[in-house]
Amino acid sequence: MSRLLVEYEANPIRPHLERGTPMYGTIQCVGHYAKNLPAHLRALIKTSVHSDRALSKLEAELIRDPIYSALIGTTQAIDLVKGGVKANALPEEAWAIINHRVATQRSVFCIRTGGSRGPFILSIRGLRAALLPPCSNAILTS
C-alpha cells in the first residue's frame, strides 16, 4: 500500500493553462495591473491571448511556482490511510482516501480515466491486482 501511494504522489496530474478559464482571466488581470511584474512575463501574458506558443511558454513559466501550479491544475492529497489493528501483524485490510481539487477546465471523468497519465492500479486483493482509474475521493483497498 505504501509503495502504491508513493507512486501515486510521485506522478501528479500535470497542470495545464487554458484560455477561457478563471485562472487565465486572473493572470490576464495580473499582467495588466501588477506594477512589479517582470517585463518578459508581462509580454508573455499579453501575447498568450493570440499565440499558442506564448501560452505554452507562459504555462511553463507559471508551473515552476508551486502556488500557480496548484491554482492552474488539479491537485491531489492523500488524506486518510488506515490498516491493521495492532503492531507486528499484517493487516487484513488497508485503505486510503485520495482527495482531488479538480481544475475548472477538467472534469471528474477526466480524473477517473487518468487524464494524461492513464489508468492506475488502485486495488490489490491477495495476489490479484485490478486496474482501476484514479478518481476523486477514491478509496484504495488491499
Side-chain angles (χ1 to χ4, degrees):
M1 173 69 81
S2 63
R3 287 179 30 194
L4 179 69
L5 295 175
V6 167
E7 181 69 22
Y8 196 83
E9 278 292 294
N11 295 289
I13 297 170
R14 188 180 185 284
H16 184 62
L17 182 61
E18 294 180 20
R19 293 179 194 98
T21 62
M23 193 58 212
Y24 184 75
T26 300
I27 291 167
Q28 287 296 313
C29 286
V30 168
H32 190 266
Y33 295 107
K35 303 286 187 220
N36 58 349
L37 194 65
H40 80 283
L41 198 53
R42 185 181 311 278
L44 273 179
I45 292 170
K46 185 175 181 179
T47 310
S48 72
V49 173
H50 303 290
S51 167
D52 291 341
R53 186 174 179 197
L55 181 64
S56 181
K57 286 182 179 181
L58 177 61
E59 176 186 294
E61 186 81 25
L62 292 176
I63 64 175
R64 285 192 221 161
D65 182 324
I67 293 173
Y68 275 111
S69 182
L71 291 171
I72 292 169
T74 296
T75 59
Q76 62 192 35
I78 299 171
D79 293 332
L80 299 171
V81 179
K82 184 173 181 181
V85 293
K86 66 180 184 172
N88 201 24
L90 291 174
E92 291 181 24
E93 67 178 31
W95 56 264
I97 295 177
I98 301 173
N99 185 24
H100 291 87
R101 185 196 58 80
V102 181
T104 58
Q105 70 272 23
R106 298 286 175 253
S107 67
V108 173
F109 177 78
C110 177
I111 305 304
R112 284 180 184 267
T113 58
S116 61
R117 65 177 168 193
F120 208 80
I121 297 174
L122 290 184
S123 179
I124 301 173
R125 294 192 182 277
L127 298 176
R128 297 180 59 204
L131 272 177
L132 298 173
C135 63
S136 183
N137 295 321
I139 297 178
L140 308 183
T141 61
S142 69

